[in-house]
Amino acid sequence: PEQFGKTFLIEPVLASGVGSGAFAGRAYDAFPIQFERHGNRVLWVVPNTDFFAPAGSPVARSLSLSTGESVIGASAIAGEDPASKHVLFAPTLLLTDFEGIGAELGRRAAPPPPIAGGFVIRIGGAFSVDASRTYVDVAKALPANDELTVVLGFTGPENALSTVPDSRGFSIRMHYSVIAQPADDGYVPRLADDRVGYLDLMQKRYGSDQWKSPTVHYIARWDMRKAPIVFYLTDSIPPQYRDTIRNALLAWNDAFARIGIKHAIDVRNQPSDPAWDPDDARYSTVRWITSDKPDFGAYGGSLIDPYTGKILRASIVVDGEDVRAATRGYRDFGIAAHASPGADCLAVDCSYSTEFADDAAFGRIALATQGVALNEEEYARDWIRALILHESGHTLGLRHNFEASTLYSIAQLQDPRFTAAHGIAASVMDYLPVNISPQGARQASYFQLRLGPYDYWAIRYGYVAVPGVHRPDDERAALRAIARESSRRELRYGTDEDAAGEGNIDPRISVFDLSSDPLAYDEQQFQVSDELVHKLDRVFPKNDQEYYEERLSFATIMRNYVRAATLATRYIGGAYTSRSHRGQPGGAPPFAPIPRTTAHRAFTILANHVFSSSAFAFSPALMRDLGSDHFGDFSPVGGAQRPDFPVLQYIGAVQDIVLNRLFDPYSLARIADFEAEGGHSNGGMRLSDIFEWSRSAIWDDAQGRSSIPAAHRELQRRFTDLMILIQAVPSQQITLLGTPREVQALARYELRLIGRQVAVDLDRADLDVGTRAHLEDVKARIGRALSAANVQAI
C-alpha cells in the first residue's frame, strides 16, 4: 500500500520481433507511472514531468488548475491480503499494443503511398493484438526492479509480412522493466547549451517572475560518480567481431581521461549464469540480431530519468545482415528498390546504419571495379567499429553533428597518413559516407575509426567536473565558457532539425556529405559513379553467378548518384547558418544567403550529370545485363510489373527528385525573400535564376539538332508540364504554400521562351519522327496553357 502514489519508470523493449521496425532489442521511450487505488480499481497514471513548481506553493496550486496528468489504463483488483493490505492486480496495460506496434507494421507493410492533390495518402494493413493469444510469459521480482516479458499475439492481413509464415497470426515478445524512481542522491542535472549536441530534457519551472524564461533544458548524461559504465557483450555477437565492438566502446575512455575520469567505460562478456537477462534494466548491453531485410544496421538507446536527465541504462543492437551487405557489394532493400531510385532513404530520419551499410556496399563495388585487393574481413571490422563508435556516442547522451563532415579538405581525405592520425571528420556523430577516391587518386581510410575533436569537446562539456556545484546554476558560467569555443571550425555543430524538414537550409549540415568543399565532393561522387557504371559488367556478376547481382549493384551505385544530386540541390536557395550567440568570439550571424556564384556552381554540376542530354549514358549492353530475380517477383516501377529494367522511368524518377527539390515552395520563397532584402545586390540569387538555369539546361539540345534522345524528350515534357502546372495553380493556393506569386509570371515567361525555340526547331526539315512529334506536342500544349481562361484569381 505504501507504493501507491509513488513514481516508477517503465521501459518497454522488444525481446523478439519480426523486423519492419519491430526488431529485437528495440527500446521504446520509458515513461513514468504512478498507481492510484480507487475502490476496486487501480489506475495507471502518468505524472506530468514537463512542468514543475515548488510543492505547496501558490504557483503549484495555480499550475495544477492549468495542467494535468494522464490516466492511461485501469486494472481491477484481483486480490487483497487482509493483514498486510497488499493488493494484487493484473498488468492489463502491458498486455495491449500500447506502443503502437501494429500501426507501425501496417505502415511499413503498405505499398508506396500514392500522391493526390499534393498530400501523401497512406494505405496500410491493420495489425492488432488478439487478447486470446496474449499472455504474461516471464515475471521476475528483483531487488531493484521487476522484469516482465509478455507475448503479444498479433493478427493482420495475409502475406503482409515476409518474416513470418502467415501474418494472420504471429507473436512478438515485449519486455518491460519496472524500476523505482531514482532517489535523490545529490546528482546535479547539467544545463544544456544549443551550441553543443546533447539529448536534452526540457522542463518548464515556475516560481519566480524575475526569471527571463521558465524553460530549462538538462542534458542526458551518466552520473560518473558511479563509474565505470559497464557494457555487456551478449553471446549473440559473432566471436570474430567481439574485440572490434569492445575496442570501439573503450575508445571513449580517452575522451573521459582528458577530463580526469579514468576507466569511465568497462566492457564485459555476458555472464555464464543462465538467469542473466539482457533485458534486465540493471544492465547495459550490446546484442546482435539477424533480420531478413533490415530496417537498420545498429541502434543505440538509453533509459533516461525524465526528471533529471540522468542516464540509467543503455542498449546497442547490431543487425548482422548489414555486415553481409558491406562485404558483398550491394544491399537488398526489397522488391521496390531494384528499379526505383527513391526506394532508399534520402532523409535524415532514416537509420544511419541503414544507409551506411548501403554506402559500404558502394565502396565495395568501387574498390572491386578499381582492382583494389580488399581484405573483406578487415573492411567489415572497420565498418563495425565506425558504427559502434557512433551508436555508443548516443548512449553517452550525444546527438548527431551533421556539420562535422566538412572539416577536412579532399587532399587531406586522400592522404593515408592524415586520415590514420585524424580520421575523416570532426566527429563520429555525423552520418559519414565511405571515403572512396576516384581511380588514380590515393586511397586513405574508408571509415571514421577514431574520435574527432568535436567528440572530445562535447564529452568535456557534458562530463567535466565543476567544483562547488550544488545546483545547476552554479556551473552555468563554466559551461558557457566551454560552449563559446563552438565558433572554432572543428567544433561547429548542426543536428537533425538543421538537416531535415523546413530547417534544412544550410547545405553544410547534411547527411553523407564530406570534405571542406562539399560541391567538389559531389562532383567526385558523380565521377566515381560514372566510372563504376561503365565498368560494372567487368566485376558483376562473376562466372556462374546470376545477372540479378549486377542489377542490385547497379541500384547501389545509382543511389549514390542520387545522393550526390540531392546534396548539390541544397546550395540553391539555401543559406549558411550559425548557432553562435551575440558577442561570441569568432561568431557569425544566424543567416547568410549562399552566394549566387556558389549556387550556379551547384546547378552546373546538376546540369551536367542530371539534366544534360549526355547524362545517364548507360550502354545498351549494361541494360541488357540487369537481370531479374528468378526466385522472386519482378521489380515494380510506376505500378508496372516488368522483368526488364525500365530505364526511362528510372532516369525520369531521378530527374524528378532533383526538379522537385529545386522548385520546392520553401526554397523558392527563401530566394524571393533574400532578393527582396537586397541579396542580389550583394551577390545573391534572383528568383528568375532558377527558372532560367533549368530551362537552359533541360532544353540545351533542342536548337540545332535533328534528333533529341528519348530520355531527354521525356525530361523536356516533364519540365514543360511543371511550368504549365505552376502558372495554372489558383493564386490562393500559391499564397497558402507561402510562395510568391511571381513564380507564376516566371513560369509563363519560360513557357513563351520554350514555345519560341520549339517554333524555330520545327522549321528544320531533317527532324526524325520522334523529335518532330515531341516538339509539335510541346508547342500545342504550351499554346493551350497560355490561351486558357484565367484561373489564377479563383
Side-chain angles (χ1 to χ4, degrees):
E2 69 276 6
Q3 292 177 323
F4 283 120
K6 289 191 175 181
T7 302
F8 299 86
L9 297 180
I10 297 182
E11 182 190 32
V13 179
L14 279 174
S16 70
V18 292
S20 297
F23 54 85
R26 175 173 180 177
Y28 293 87
D29 289 340
F31 57 93
I33 201 79
Q34 294 175 350
F35 299 109
E36 293 183 2
R37 180 172 183 174
H38 294 272
N40 292 322
R41 295 176 302 156
V42 173
L43 301 184
W44 300 59
V45 179
V46 178
N48 197 328
T49 62
D50 295 334
F51 304 93
F52 173 83
S57 64
V59 69
R61 289 189 290 272
S62 174
L63 191 61
S64 67
L65 300 176
S66 304
T67 62
E69 301 171 327
S70 295
V71 180
I72 59 173
S75 299
I77 292 178
E80 183 173 4
D81 187 317
S84 67
K85 305 298 182 183
H86 287 179
V87 170
L88 179 70
F89 59 95
T92 49
L93 181 72
L94 309 185
L95 295 170
T96 66
D97 185 16
F98 179 71
E99 296 299 338
I101 298 172
E104 183 167 4
L105 288 175
R107 288 192 299 270
R108 291 174 179 260
I115 302 217
F119 296 94
V120 174
I121 300 175
R122 282 281 179 192
I123 302 175
F127 292 83
S128 58
V129 168
D130 181 352
S132 68
R133 299 181 236 171
T134 298
Y135 55 92
V136 177
D137 186 34
V138 178
K140 299 178 182 178
L142 302 171
N145 51 299
D146 291 338
E147 306 292 330
L148 290 89
T149 302
V150 303
V151 175
L152 301 177
F154 278 89
T155 183
E158 184 178 6
N159 300 324
L161 294 175
S162 63
T163 54
V164 296
D166 189 334
S167 54
R168 290 173 295 184
F170 59 94
S171 296
I172 288 178
R173 290 163 55 85
M174 178 70 84
H175 184 94
Y176 294 96
S177 295
V178 186
I179 65 176
Q181 166 68 23
D184 184 359
D185 58 359
Y187 172 81
V188 178
R190 177 153 290 185
L191 295 169
D193 191 291
D194 65 345
R195 295 165 288 186
V196 191
Y198 270 88
L199 301 170
D200 68 274
L201 165 73
M202 184 186 79
Q203 289 184 348
K204 208 164 185 180
R205 305 175 71 86
Y206 295 90
S208 173
D209 293 334
Q210 304 303 312
W211 295 338
K212 182 178 66 174
S213 170
T215 302
V216 295
H217 294 263
Y218 297 135
I219 67 171
R221 64 168 183 163
W222 293 83
D223 184 354
M224 297 311 294
R225 298 174 304 169
K226 302 176 181 180
I229 305 164
V230 180
F231 283 92
Y232 289 91
L233 307 183
T234 67
D235 56 14
S236 62
I237 301 173
Q240 67 268 31
Y241 299 131
R242 290 178 189 172
D243 284 344
T244 299
I245 294 174
R246 182 189 312 275
N247 292 333
L249 292 166
L250 293 174
W252 288 98
N253 276 335
D254 188 43
F256 284 98
R258 293 191 184 188
I259 55 174
I261 303 175
K262 295 183 178 180
H263 310 297
I265 295 175
D266 188 16
V267 183
R268 304 172 187 174
N269 292 329
Q270 172 181 331
S272 57
D273 182 359
W276 186 86
D277 189 341
D279 295 317
D280 190 327
R282 293 175 294 174
Y283 306 122
S284 295
T285 60
V286 182
R287 67 175 81 188
W288 191 280
I289 65 171
T290 301
S291 299
D292 172 35
K293 292 181 175 65
D295 287 314
F296 74 107
Y299 164 88
S302 302
L303 172 60
I304 300 173
D305 182 349
Y307 292 93
T308 64
K310 183 196 298 186
I311 298 177
L312 307 175
R313 126 178 238 245
S315 176
I316 298 174
V317 183
V318 180
D319 196 313
E321 183 62 16
D322 272 342
V323 180
R324 189 196 314 274
T327 58
R328 70 186 174 186
Y330 55 84
R331 186 175 189 274
D332 191 347
F333 280 88
I335 184 172
H338 307 161
S340 172
D344 66 328
C345 211
L346 296 173
V348 71
D349 58 354
C350 296
S351 165
Y352 166 48
S353 43
T354 298
E355 279 204 84
F356 191 32
D358 197 43
D359 212 64
F362 170 79
R364 177 70 183 88
I365 299 170
L367 297 170
T369 306
Q370 294 173 359
V372 176
L374 182 67
N375 184 324
E376 291 188 359
E377 290 187 5
E378 182 179 347
Y379 187 78
R381 285 195 296 269
D382 285 351
W383 180 82
I384 292 171
R385 177 180 173 87
L387 193 62
I388 296 299
L389 282 171
H390 178 95
E391 300 300 345
S392 57
H394 285 315
T395 68
L396 297 174
L398 298 183
R399 292 194 69 185
H400 296 133
N401 180 5
F402 295 135
E403 196 165 356
S405 55
T406 62
L407 179 59
Y408 302 129
S409 69
I410 287 180
Q412 290 171 320
L413 294 171
Q414 294 177 357
D415 184 342
R417 289 187 178 180
F418 183 88
T419 58
H422 303 282
I424 65 175
S427 173
V428 300
M429 301 311 298
D430 205 327
Y431 280 14
L432 298 169
V434 180
N435 181 33
I436 298 293
S437 298
Q439 184 85 45
R442 289 189 302 173
Q443 180 61 57
S445 300
Y446 303 124
F447 306 106
Q448 179 74 13
L449 302 178
R450 55 182 300 125
L451 303 182
Y454 171 86
D455 302 317
Y456 287 98
W457 176 70
I459 290 297
R460 177 159 65 98
Y461 181 92
Y463 289 94
V464 69
V466 178
V469 172
H470 303 287
R471 55 192 182 91
D473 279 342
D474 292 342
E475 56 184 6
R476 187 185 296 271
L479 295 177
R480 282 183 173 174
I482 296 174
R484 277 196 293 269
E485 300 174 24
S486 65
S487 54
R488 288 164 43 189
R489 186 179 174 193
E490 69 272 22
L491 304 182
R492 291 175 183 167
Y493 164 66
T495 192
D496 296 65
E497 55 267 26
D498 304 308
E502 298 175 19
N504 66 337
I505 65 175
D506 190 335
R508 301 170 304 182
I509 307 174
S510 296
V511 297
F512 293 100
D513 63 339
L514 199 59
S515 92
S516 55
D517 187 351
L519 284 175
Y521 175 77
D522 292 342
E523 181 69 53
Q524 177 180 290
Q525 291 306 292
F526 281 122
Q527 177 186 346
V528 171
S529 297
D530 285 337
E531 290 174 355
L532 299 187
V533 167
H534 290 311
K535 298 178 181 178
L536 184 61
D537 56 0
R538 304 178 194 177
V539 181
F540 297 102
K542 299 177 181 177
N543 286 338
D544 205 30
Q545 294 291 320
E546 298 176 70
Y547 279 100
Y548 180 58
E549 183 180 11
E550 188 171 352
R551 187 177 186 133
L552 290 170
S553 299
F554 174 79
T556 300
I557 295 170
M558 291 309 298
R559 281 191 288 271
N560 189 70
Y561 204 93
V562 173
R563 179 193 295 160
T566 54
L567 287 171
T569 63
R570 298 192 61 197
Y571 282 87
I572 302 166
Y576 297 133
T577 62
S578 171
R579 287 175 174 254
S580 297
H581 293 189
R582 183 179 291 277
Q584 181 175 335
F591 303 103
I594 292 175
R596 183 178 186 272
T597 53
T598 303
H600 189 260
R601 179 187 171 203
F603 189 88
T604 301
I605 293 173
L606 295 171
N608 293 337
H609 296 284
V610 179
F611 296 146
S612 169
S613 57
S614 59
F616 303 106
F618 304 135
S619 72
L622 172 65
M623 293 296 101
R624 290 193 294 267
D625 278 357
L626 302 183
S628 297
D629 180 8
H630 294 293
F631 290 103
D633 296 319
F634 300 145
S635 301
V637 175
Q641 300 281 337
R642 291 177 51 179
D644 58 322
F645 194 87
V647 61
L648 286 180
Q649 292 184 53
Y650 190 95
I651 293 172
V654 175
Q655 293 166 333
D656 284 346
I657 288 171
V658 176
L659 274 176
N660 290 337
R661 287 175 179 257
L662 291 177
F663 287 89
D664 174 78
Y666 292 111
S667 178
L668 295 176
R670 194 157 42 245
I671 295 172
D673 286 340
F674 288 151
E675 184 179 356
E677 295 164 4
H680 181 69
S681 60
N682 295 320
M685 284 184 65
R686 283 196 176 108
L687 192 59
S688 59
D689 287 336
I690 190 61
F691 287 84
E692 179 184 349
W693 295 348
S694 299
R695 188 251 312 154
S696 298
I698 292 170
W699 284 88
D700 66 333
D701 62 350
Q703 199 164 28
R705 293 186 62 174
S706 61
S707 179
I708 302 174
H712 213 54
R713 296 198 299 262
E714 291 290 335
L715 174 60
Q716 290 170 352
R717 290 187 191 105
R718 291 198 308 278
F719 178 73
T720 303
D721 288 345
L722 177 61
M723 294 298 102
I724 292 173
L725 175 65
I726 291 174
Q727 67 91 33
V729 172
S731 298
Q732 186 179 25
Q733 291 188 22
I734 290 287
T735 302
L736 290 174
L737 288 171
T739 306
R741 294 188 181 183
E742 186 180 350
V743 299
Q744 296 188 294
L746 290 169
R748 287 192 292 273
Y749 179 75
E750 295 300 327
L751 287 173
R752 286 193 292 270
L753 291 179
I754 294 171
R756 292 170 192 167
Q757 180 175 333
V758 167
V760 172
D761 293 338
L762 283 170
D763 286 338
R764 293 179 60 99
D766 59 348
L767 295 176
D768 63 35
V769 174
T771 300
R772 183 171 294 279
H774 162 61
L775 294 176
E776 288 181 352
D777 176 65
V778 169
K779 178 182 177 181
R781 296 167 76 179
I782 290 177
R784 288 193 299 269
L786 294 179
S787 62
N790 184 11
V791 296
Q792 271 74 43
I794 295 176

